[in-house]
Amino acid sequence: MSRQLLAAAVAAAVLASPSLDAQTGLSARFDTASARSLTGEFAGFVFGDPTYLVLNVRNAAGVAESWVVEGGSSGEVMRAGWGPKPPAMLGQTLVVQGFPLKADAALTVDVEHPSERMLAAAKARRWIHGFEVTLPDGRVMPFGARN
């Protein structure tokens, strides 16, 4: 095999790698140029690929609305200190730093048995990719990719 053909094969393999596709997937669905903060009461946790938090966030009128925080894979969040069981924080206030869903992004609820809150949040497009969560005790924990 010639060097040129080998170089072309390696370049094609690198360009088709899943890690590059995953990076474009984040910026394709979420506005990675507009990080925002979301504060709400912890209402649910789904451990998986990806892992999700559900928060009840008060809108401008003071009404609680369900928001879904999409995080990293089970392996990513476990390395960051999250476990497969829901944290014992139900009703406690969390602050999430993340990227909002783009207006034209496709959205699917990739959970076997989604809660009513998750479905309502998806229907209203109240969905954010969270990269950092501040816990009630002040600890800051990674939750997903930043870029």
Side-chain angles (χ1 to χ4, degrees):
M1 184 185 287
S2 74
R3 287 181 190 240
Q4 289 175 333
L5 187 56
L6 179 60
V10 169
V14 168
L15 291 174
S17 79
S19 62
L20 289 176
D21 189 41
Q23 293 299 324
T24 20
L26 180 64
S27 62
R29 292 181 56 223
F30 297 95
D31 183 359
T32 57
S34 300
R36 65 172 285 192
S37 181
L38 190 65
T39 302
E41 291 181 357
F42 176 76
F45 180 79
V46 179
F47 184 74
D49 294 312
T51 297
Y52 300 98
L53 294 175
V54 180
L55 298 180
N56 289 329
V57 178
R58 301 238 173 241
N59 65 18
V63 177
E65 299 175 324
S66 294
W67 276 76
V68 172
V69 180
E70 183 175 312
S73 69
S74 55
E76 287 176 294
V77 297
M78 282 190 75
R79 284 188 296 277
W82 299 89
K85 293 185 180 175
M89 298 183 289
L90 199 59
Q92 294 187 37
T93 300
L94 302 180
V95 180
V96 173
Q97 301 299 320
F99 305 119
L101 186 68
K102 287 182 175 178
D104 60 348
L107 180 60
T108 57
V109 181
D110 192 19
V111 175
E112 188 174 338
H113 301 289
S115 68
E116 293 291 325
R117 289 182 176 149
M118 286 185 85
L119 294 173
K123 185 175 180 180
R125 300 187 62 79
R126 293 187 302 262
W127 207 274
I128 189 169
H129 173 81
F131 56 79
E132 185 177 276
V133 178
T134 303
L135 303 177
D137 63 7
R139 286 182 296 145
V140 178
M141 294 182 67
F143 195 63
R146 280 187 184 263
N147 54 13

